[in-house]
Amino acid sequence: MILPSAPAASASSAPASEAPARTKKPFYTSLFFQILIAVFLGIGIGHFWPDIGSGLRPLGDGFIQLIKMIIAPLIFLVIVTGISAVGDVKAVGRVGVKALVYFTAATLFALVFGLIVGNIVQPGAGLNIDPSTLSQDAVNAKTGTAPPKDAGAFLLGVIPTSVVGAFANNSLLQVLCFSVFFGAAIVVVGRERCMPVIGLLETVLELFFKIMAWVMRVAPIGALGAMAFIIGQYGLGSLSTYALLVAACYGAAIIFIGLLFVVAWVYPRVPLWQFIKYSREEFLLALGTASTESVLPRIMTKLTNAGCSRATTGLVVPTGYSFNLDGAALYLSISLLFLAQAFGHHLDLGQQLAALGILMLTSKGMAGVPGSAFLALSATAGALGIFPVAGVALLLGADRLMDSMRVSVNLLGNCVATFVVAKWEGQFDREAMLRAFRGEVSEGEPGIEAPALPAAAGVR
């Protein structure tokens, strides 16, 4: 069972007539309001003073580095304490398998849906690009000339050669792999025997949440710097150059988000709009910094407080950052057809199915890899041999314009995946979710009072 925080417990047990009056804070103290103002200021600075805006990049990069500083240990602590609370290694394995099944289905659907949109809209038709005018140098500069990994190399890369190295390099999948082994070892040895270790980890987790609270105080500054840099560097005017491609991607994203609303309501019975309202600070910060990593610790906290077990959240969310990039999948499939059409090629059904299979492999593990979208598209273009790999450079100007689309769909898709897998595994408390949406769950030290649900816990 989820143990509510002290304020939540007192509020739920006291009669309605005796419930203490909630003090409403001034609107300007809200993190959501501060980030919103910072984003608009960043847009204004980048548009009217582009040189100044471009120079503010260190503010955004510095904030993201502060977040990255705590991501790896936080994932380790959340997963280990969550698995130890579940007390069932087989249940943890089921969560992992179910998450991968969901991720594969969601990615496949996103890629197919993107191909359908690309065929209908035809965003690259009529451009008639001359291949002789292209240079591979721009793509190499963006990707660092790093070759895309094959499936075997990617799977081997999940296993850390050094535990210390995994934490030092902030390799989330490697940290997750070690965390699962560590948590499983605690379960096998016995929770009672390992209580000193578990108690220490719980205390350290509380300390990391306190650090996270401090870091979030400077989130508006980070959002301002990141948005000012994006607008100052690329400008609002570049929207017109790729108008049809941008419209196709954003239109597909809106429809896909609508489908996520349906999935969330039909199976785990989650009113997704209320969850977005509950997590509006995290979504706005992700949009402002163009990075889902900037909100990884906070969104895991919100999902735990909203009724998902700590173990499920700790396993699904970090894994989804590499395996469930729905927004990136939409972008890749639409962009592939855009490039083919720009060079005057019409891909038949067989070629599109081949491209679908290649993108299913190359799209995995994209999170946090510089130029990963260009790597995936370059690998697909090279395998199909229909248009020159250097043609991927045509997307350099549009790539930044797609950040908001990719970030919002990726983040929301991973949240829905967590709710679905938690419900599927019987580790979702809908009443706790509704209490969180009503503001009855303390946000002071999030997630500390909410250990994982037992595998056989009742689900409403």
Side-chain angles (χ1 to χ4, degrees):
M1 61 179 291
I2 289 183
L3 302 176
S5 60
S10 60
S12 59
S13 60
S17 59
E18 300 177 10
R22 297 180 63 89
T23 304
K24 190 172 182 179
K25 296 181 180 180
F27 70 92
Y28 54 83
T29 63
S30 164
L31 182 62
F32 175 79
F33 177 78
Q34 294 171 1
I35 294 174
L36 185 65
I37 294 299
V39 167
F40 279 109
L41 283 176
I43 293 174
I45 293 172
H47 180 63
F48 294 106
W49 301 283
D51 291 338
I52 297 177
S54 298
L56 293 179
R57 179 175 183 172
L59 295 180
D61 290 348
F63 172 72
I64 293 176
Q65 283 183 225
L66 284 173
I67 292 291
K68 286 184 175 181
M69 174 181 70
I70 62 174
I71 283 180
L74 194 62
I75 288 176
F76 170 76
L77 293 166
V78 168
I79 292 176
V80 171
T81 55
I83 291 176
S84 66
V86 170
D88 185 353
V89 176
K90 291 182 179 180
V92 175
R94 288 197 306 268
V95 169
V97 171
K98 290 174 180 178
L100 291 177
V101 169
Y102 179 91
F103 294 160
T104 302
T107 301
L108 180 61
F109 179 82
L111 288 171
V112 171
F113 184 63
L115 289 175
I116 293 173
V117 171
N119 280 292
I120 294 174
V121 178
Q122 300 277 315
L127 290 182
N128 300 319
I129 303 297
D130 182 3
S132 64
T133 62
L134 301 173
S135 171
Q136 182 70 30
D137 295 339
V139 178
N140 290 342
K142 182 73 175 179
T143 62
T145 66
K149 295 181 178 180
D150 57 34
F154 174 76
L155 291 175
L156 287 176
V158 174
I159 305 172
T161 55
S162 165
V163 173
V164 176
F167 282 89
N169 297 325
N170 228 25
S171 179
L172 299 190
L173 288 180
Q174 292 185 357
V175 171
L176 187 145
C177 177
F178 173 70
S179 303
V180 170
F181 276 106
F182 197 96
I186 288 179
V187 173
V188 172
V189 172
R191 181 177 174 87
E192 294 299 324
R193 188 175 174 187
C194 294
M195 275 309 296
V197 175
I198 296 173
L200 174 63
L201 293 178
E202 290 280 2
T203 302
V204 175
L205 178 59
E206 187 173 355
L207 295 176
F208 269 91
F209 275 124
K210 178 59 70 176
I211 295 172
M212 184 180 71
W214 292 339
V215 171
M216 291 306 298
R217 291 181 182 178
V218 299
I221 298 175
L224 185 150
M227 186 57 67
F229 166 72
I230 292 172
I231 302 300
Q233 186 77 14
Y234 299 96
L236 294 173
S238 56
L239 283 168
S240 60
T241 307
Y242 301 92
L244 195 55
L245 176 61
V246 172
C249 288
Y250 276 85
I254 291 171
I255 297 173
F256 191 87
I257 288 174
L259 294 174
L260 289 177
F261 270 75
V262 174
V263 171
W265 179 250
V266 168
Y267 184 57
R269 304 286 291 176
V270 174
L272 203 53
W273 177 250
Q274 290 189 39
F275 175 74
I276 294 175
K277 183 180 178 182
Y278 172 63
S279 307
R280 59 188 180 275
E281 296 169 353
E282 288 72 31
F283 279 92
L284 184 58
L285 181 60
L287 289 173
T289 59
S291 169
T292 52
E293 281 191 338
S294 64
V295 297
L296 175 58
R298 291 264 301 192
I299 205 68
M300 289 173 67
T301 295
K302 288 294 179 73
L303 286 165
T304 303
N305 286 343
C308 298
S309 75
R310 188 187 294 178
T312 301
T313 302
L315 285 169
V316 175
V317 175
T319 309
Y321 268 48
S322 286
F323 286 92
N324 192 42
L325 302 173
D326 298 331
L330 286 174
Y331 170 67
L332 288 174
S333 53
I334 295 175
S335 296
L336 179 71
L337 290 185
F338 167 81
L339 291 173
Q341 294 157 9
F343 288 102
H345 297 288
H346 174 73
L347 302 186
D348 58 30
L349 179 60
Q351 291 171 317
Q352 293 193 34
L353 289 176
L356 182 65
I358 298 169
L359 287 174
M360 277 293 292
L361 296 175
T362 56
S363 63
K364 299 305 180 186
M366 286 175 55
V369 180
S372 53
F374 294 93
L375 284 171
L377 286 171
S378 298
T380 307
L384 292 174
I386 297 172
F387 56 86
V389 174
V392 177
L394 292 175
L395 294 171
L396 288 172
D399 186 63
R400 274 291 189 176
L401 303 176
M402 305 297 180
D403 278 340
S404 296
M405 181 276 290
R406 288 191 298 244
V407 163
S408 56
V409 178
N410 288 346
L411 184 58
L412 193 60
N414 279 321
C415 292
V416 172
T418 306
F419 282 118
V420 169
V421 175
K423 167 75 172 180
W424 192 358
E425 183 57 23
Q427 296 190 26
F428 175 56
D429 188 335
R430 193 168 187 273
E431 291 301 320
M433 175 195 73
L434 295 176
R435 288 197 301 271
F437 290 173
R438 291 193 298 264
E440 297 175 5
V441 176
S442 172
E443 299 291 336
E445 299 296 341
I448 299 299
E449 303 88 354
L453 289 168
V459 179
R460 288 181 285 272

